[in-house]
Amino acid sequence: MYVATPTSASDVPAPWAPDSWRTRDAAQQPTWPDDGALKQVHARLSSLPPLVFAGEARHLTRALGQASAGQAFVLQAGDCAESFAEFTADGIRDKLKVILQMAVVLTYGAGLPVVKVGRIAGQFAKPRSSPTEQVGDQVIDSFRGHMVNDDLPERSARVPDPNRLVAAYEQSVATLNLLRAFTKGGFADLSQIHAWNQQFVATSNEGRRFEDIAEGIDRALRFMDACGINLTAEDTLHQVDFWTSHEALILDYEEALTRRDSLTGDWYDCSAHMLWVGERTRQLDGAHLEFLAGIHNPVGSKVGPSATSDDVVALCERLNPQRIPGRLTLITRFGVDAIDDHLPRLLAAVESEGHPVVWMCDPMHGNTFTAEGGQKTRRFDDIIGELQSFFRIHREIGTWPGGVHVELTGDDVTECLGGVEDILEGQLGRNYTTTCDPRLNGRQALDLAFRIAELLRN
Ligand code: PEP
Ligand code: CO
């Protein structure tokens, strides 16, 4: 990381700038081997076109504002880490397909609009609990996401390469281009998505449990048709807004893509519509919050068991001093056994300060463990369990459970245990392809959506 030259010698704090974070401690940054190469990459990225526009980010803030007020529900989903190696049009299509299928079920369950946000087109960097890992008798640097190094378990593969920042940008451009084509070009047709859901319900024993929900959606579509609403011609029924997001981890990358909006003069990180900080980088005086505080995108923060109520209120003040609805999403991730100890106190503290936030549940990251075969995994039942508690606690306190945040793929992977096909520990090795955390496969993800719809309807 190269250090910014101070812009002011006086005691007056310098105004925020995309590089202000350089004056703070930045956790989880790679040690780039060559500062000159990093500077060149930074200059190149700074000159490339933005991936998203400020106006789109403002649109998403308004949509999330509805979720903070109990008038919408958010589905944020995608890979733990996108991969340079597994990058195909079919893979993107299948992931989008699952998310859209889930969104239809959730829309019906909530009776409200569902804001669809992908962990996609930029989710290439990973924070690690240990900077090194043991491979055989060697200790090598940890994998930090394809934006930084390679996942191959070899010393040379783990050397950070700044050219990967440009490759991540390029893959994000291509991904976003395809997403825009799919979501506006007919792939998101409501009747079609519903037909896929009916297939899921009809072709599995577990799925049959959800027949009444599928039948309810079917009746709603027939009702609209009978009222003279043309289901194939109506734009709102075959186009959707789909937003991108990722963890703003590698600040060299995020800074280089931050641009001043010509309309408002405000700064936006144009690498994605929404950015979040992770559990390991949400230090109040750290570089990541300094960066997020100055951009005008909607932002999020993961919140785990170690966060005190004061920390979380201070985080709200720091990231959303003007209390703009939709600006801040708190993504809680405690684990099924810990959520009852933590969520009520945080809801009470943030509510009593009157901060508008979207409360989102990440039922994945507090429920990870290592199976006997050595793979990281999660139990579908623990994921459901944390979600059930999330909805119950919000109901008890009178706050709105505003959304869910999950790791999934459209591929038929065997990374999480249980769910529709009841994947067992001994079967994890069958198709375990994630480069980081275990993801729900397409059928497990749909199973989850139907169960959340039940929780929303209760
Ligand atoms: C993640 O979302 O992949 C992640 C690393 O989460 P957390 O920061 O909550 O651990
Ligand atoms: Co993850």
Side-chain angles (χ1 to χ4, degrees):
M1 178 180 95
Y2 65 91
V3 176
T5 34
T7 47
S8 155
S10 78
D11 288 342
V12 181
W16 186 92
D19 67 353
S20 314
W21 64 270
R22 293 179 187 275
T23 60
R24 312 284 182 113
D25 277 345
Q28 299 279 344
Q29 302 305 289
T31 311
W32 302 103
D34 176 353
D35 249 12
L38 177 63
K39 270 190 175 141
Q40 270 178 15
V41 161
H42 196 277
R44 167 110 184 101
L45 282 174
S46 304
S47 72
L48 289 168
L51 277 112
V52 305
F53 295 122
E56 295 179 299
R58 283 193 285 273
H59 191 151
L60 176 57
T61 301
R62 286 193 294 277
L64 293 170
Q66 295 216 298
S68 74
Q71 288 151 12
F73 191 76
V74 189
L75 172 61
Q76 188 170 27
D79 281 304
C80 179
E82 286 175 273
S83 162
F84 284 2
E86 279 178 33
F87 174 48
T88 63
D90 287 358
I92 295 166
R93 180 201 58 205
D94 293 345
K95 201 169 303 152
L96 176 67
K97 182 177 165 190
V98 174
I99 296 174
L100 295 179
Q101 284 182 263
M102 292 175 80
V104 167
V105 175
L106 294 174
T107 306
Y108 181 77
L112 291 171
V114 169
V115 185
K116 297 164 270 296
V117 187
R119 283 176 65 116
I120 200 165
Q123 177 56 21
F124 290 105
K126 297 313 299 172
R128 302 317 304 248
S129 24
S130 165
T132 56
E133 70 174 290
Q134 181 92 30
V135 176
D137 54 4
Q138 282 202 321
V139 176
I140 65 171
D141 286 342
S142 295
F143 171 56
R144 291 187 176 273
H146 281 164
M147 183 185 276
V148 176
N149 56 11
D150 194 70
D151 53 300
L152 224 85
E154 286 167 16
R155 175 156 303 172
S156 59
R158 299 293 170 84
V159 177
D161 175 359
N163 291 309
R164 286 177 168 270
L165 299 175
V166 180
Y169 167 88
E170 282 164 356
Q171 185 163 322
S172 301
V173 171
T175 303
L176 187 52
N177 181 51
L178 205 56
L179 289 171
R180 290 190 194 275
F182 278 139
T183 52
K184 302 294 172 188
F187 184 72
D189 178 71
L190 178 59
S191 307
Q192 177 60 61
I193 297 169
H194 174 56
W196 291 326
N197 280 343
Q198 284 177 311
Q199 262 171 30
F200 166 78
V201 168
T203 57
S204 71
N205 287 334
E206 265 297 297
R208 292 211 180 88
R209 189 175 148 201
F210 307 122
E211 256 162 8
D212 58 328
I213 297 181
E215 174 56 22
I217 299 173
D218 212 48
R219 285 170 65 88
L221 288 175
R222 287 203 304 271
F223 175 75
M224 285 196 280
D225 196 31
C227 292
I229 297 166
N230 186 332
L231 297 181
T232 47
E234 183 65 38
D235 272 357
T236 51
L237 297 178
H238 66 229
Q239 295 188 5
V240 296
D241 287 330
F242 186 83
W243 312 101
T244 61
S245 70
H246 60 260
E247 177 173 349
L249 184 70
I250 305 300
L251 294 174
D252 280 295
Y253 179 79
E254 305 304 336
E255 176 194 325
L257 286 164
T258 298
R259 310 288 153 81
R260 204 190 266 281
D261 172 33
S262 55
L263 276 180
T264 59
D266 291 332
W267 292 102
Y268 285 83
D269 181 351
C270 297
S271 70
H273 298 110
M274 179 195 181
L275 287 310
W276 78 85
V277 286
E279 176 65 0
R280 293 164 192 79
T281 51
R282 60 171 166 73
Q283 298 81 5
L284 285 169
D285 54 356
H288 291 83
L289 283 208
E290 170 63 21
F291 179 75
L292 283 202
I295 57 169
H296 283 68
N297 307 58
V299 296
S301 176
K302 293 290 196 82
V303 178
S306 68
T308 68
S309 307
D310 287 349
D311 285 344
V312 175
V313 169
L315 189 134
C316 293
E317 280 297 328
R318 178 101 174 91
L319 290 180
N320 194 14
Q322 293 170 14
R323 301 178 180 226
I324 298 163
R327 154 77 177 163
L328 179 61
T329 297
L330 294 179
I331 309 161
T332 61
R333 30 88 83 220
F334 300 115
V336 62
D337 295 328
I339 182 170
D340 272 276
D341 294 337
H342 301 289
L343 186 58
R345 64 176 171 85
L346 296 185
L347 293 182
V350 172
E351 283 301 299
S352 74
E353 294 298 319
H355 270 287
V357 302
V358 179
W359 288 106
M360 198 185 279
C361 178
D362 165 358
M364 313 295 289
H365 288 88
N367 292 310
T368 317
F369 68 99
T370 304
E372 292 205 347
Q375 303 98 335
K376 268 206 274 181
T377 190
R378 295 158 173 157
R379 283 192 196 90
F380 188 81
D381 288 349
D382 292 344
I383 293 168
I384 294 289
E386 183 161 355
L387 282 165
Q388 282 167 338
S389 300
F390 174 77
F391 281 93
R392 172 180 44 77
I393 293 165
H394 274 286
R395 215 151 267 147
E396 282 164 8
I397 295 187
T399 42
W400 173 241
V404 293
H405 180 117
V406 289
E407 290 181 342
L408 56 74
T409 168
D411 302 340
D412 187 20
V413 298
T414 51
E415 298 171 4
C416 292
L417 301 168
V420 211
E421 283 132 2
D422 198 14
I423 297 171
L424 306 172
E425 279 214 30
Q427 297 168 330
L428 286 175
R430 210 185 70 208
N431 194 19
Y432 191 97
T433 62
T434 184
T435 51
C436 196
D437 290 339
R439 304 157 296 175
L440 298 169
N441 65 30
R443 293 175 77 81
Q444 288 172 324
L446 274 178
D447 190 350
L448 188 82
F450 276 102
R451 287 169 196 253
I452 299 171
E454 288 177 340
L455 292 170
L456 279 162
R457 287 203 317 163
N458 286 338

